[in-house]
Amino acid sequence: MNKNDDFTMVYQDSAAGLTLLLLHGFPLSSAMWEPQIEGLGEIVRVIAPDLRGLGESDSAEPPYSLATLADDCAALLDALTIDDPVVVCGMSMGGYLAFEFYRRYPERVAALILTATRAGADSEIVKKGRDIAAADVHANGVAPLAGRMAQKLFAPAVHEEDPDLVTFVTEMMADSSINGVRGCLAAMRDRPDSTPDLAAIAVPTLVVHGDQDLIINSAEAEAMADTIPGAALALFEGVGHMVNLEAPEAFNDVVQTFLQMNFGDEDVNEE
Ligand code: MLT
């Protein structure tokens, strides 16, 4: 638990060594990183915060901005006295936040892992959709939004093959606070276009995506990986938006290989 002014942030933490900061998607929580905390927590120190208003962190009044969320994460690292640069792994909204964190704190970033995310900003139509969703959540609570999102988060086959996973993620979303959901919708709506920044990214970068992602087309991930100097791309077949939960072992394997290639055995423990 980290107390910063009037804001208390809850986070999960694993071991010592190179730090991997896991930034969850919308409207999820650090619980979405369960297989990574378990699997990768053995080889690096994994920190997985619940972003403002989501999971068990405080639900401050909306709207939020990506700048505020990035500052929350920097304050968490400060509170944990983690001064060395960290590997920032962001999923979807967490990827938008990873770009913002890198813009604001480039010296704190050792590498980027961009998972099921995009560099572009929202179109005007998508911005309007965010406002409609925020009004709906204000009036009707989070459950209807969680139900609608659950239809799009997974590769189509997952609904039949792994209904427990769909239930786990749907309940995680439905548990989000109304403030947190509205706040993060505003943060995503107002985020800047990160596309012009891609060619200047100067840290090792891994792009991970599923070819059945119904929220962000894999072509966007391919274009992103083509533009970021030296970026690696891991494209998983038959996998949707929740790539780290739909293919947890394959996801952990590519991340482990990426970490070992870029940081060697001194910083990354053997399993
Ligand atoms: C997410 O998965 O974090 C969101 O669906 C991303 C978005 O709405 O742009």
Side-chain angles (χ1 to χ4, degrees):
M1 191 96 62
N2 173 43
K3 198 95 180 120
N4 171 32
D5 298 330
D6 59 345
F7 170 66
T8 306
M9 183 182 231
V10 172
Y11 61 94
Q12 302 196 40
D13 189 354
S14 64
L18 179 71
T19 297
L20 175 64
L21 178 65
L22 298 175
L23 303 177
H24 61 76
F26 169 87
L28 298 156
S29 76
S30 63
M32 68 158 274
W33 296 116
E34 231 172 53
Q36 285 66 50
I37 293 165
E38 201 175 305
L40 299 170
E42 290 178 9
I43 59 161
V44 287
R45 179 175 186 179
V46 178
I47 311 267
D50 287 346
L51 299 174
R52 189 173 277 254
L54 300 176
E56 292 178 41
S57 285
D58 282 354
S59 61
E61 283 286 318
Y64 310 160
S65 67
L66 285 186
T68 307
L69 300 181
D71 291 351
D72 288 342
C73 294
L76 175 62
L77 296 178
D78 286 344
L80 295 171
T81 57
I82 297 174
D83 301 322
D84 289 338
V86 302
V87 179
V88 181
C89 171
M91 182 265 173
S92 200
M93 178 182 76
Y96 311 158
L97 177 55
F99 285 126
E100 182 69 17
F101 190 85
Y102 185 54
R103 268 191 293 275
R104 295 173 78 77
Y105 303 102
E107 72 291 349
R108 300 193 88 152
V109 178
L112 288 168
I113 303 175
L114 302 169
T115 302
T117 195
R118 60 156 61 94
D122 280 358
S123 66
E124 287 309 312
I125 289 177
V126 172
K127 282 181 201 237
K128 282 209 179 77
R130 304 267 193 217
D131 291 339
I132 292 167
D136 173 55
V137 165
H138 192 49
N140 303 312
V142 180
L145 173 88
R148 285 195 303 276
M149 281 204 67
Q151 300 307 311
K152 296 186 283 182
L153 283 180
F154 303 95
V158 173
H159 293 273
E160 271 188 25
E161 286 167 9
D162 197 352
D164 289 349
L165 178 61
V166 177
T167 303
F168 171 66
V169 172
T170 308
E171 286 175 358
M172 195 191 310
M173 292 191 288
D175 280 348
S176 304
S177 73
I178 291 176
N179 275 349
V181 172
R182 291 174 62 221
C184 288
L185 281 166
M188 291 193 287
R189 177 196 63 201
D190 298 337
R191 75 185 189 279
D193 183 3
S194 296
T195 315
D197 302 338
L198 296 180
I201 291 180
V203 292
T205 300
L206 171 65
V207 176
V208 188
H209 217 91
D211 72 347
Q212 293 192 17
D213 190 323
L214 304 177
I215 293 187
I216 301 177
N217 192 286
S218 56
E220 294 198 54
E222 288 177 77
M224 205 160 60
D226 280 348
T227 313
I228 300 171
L233 171 68
L235 187 60
F236 292 121
E237 278 182 32
V239 173
H241 194 58
M242 295 302 312
V243 51
N244 68 300
L245 284 173
E246 290 179 55
E249 282 166 21
F251 182 90
N252 286 1
D253 283 350
V254 291
V255 170
Q256 178 167 352
T257 303
F258 172 75
L259 295 176
Q260 275 166 340
M261 274 177 59
N262 288 289
F263 300 98
D265 293 337
E266 270 179 33
D267 286 319
V268 181
N269 301 323
E270 292 292 329
E271 273 175 294

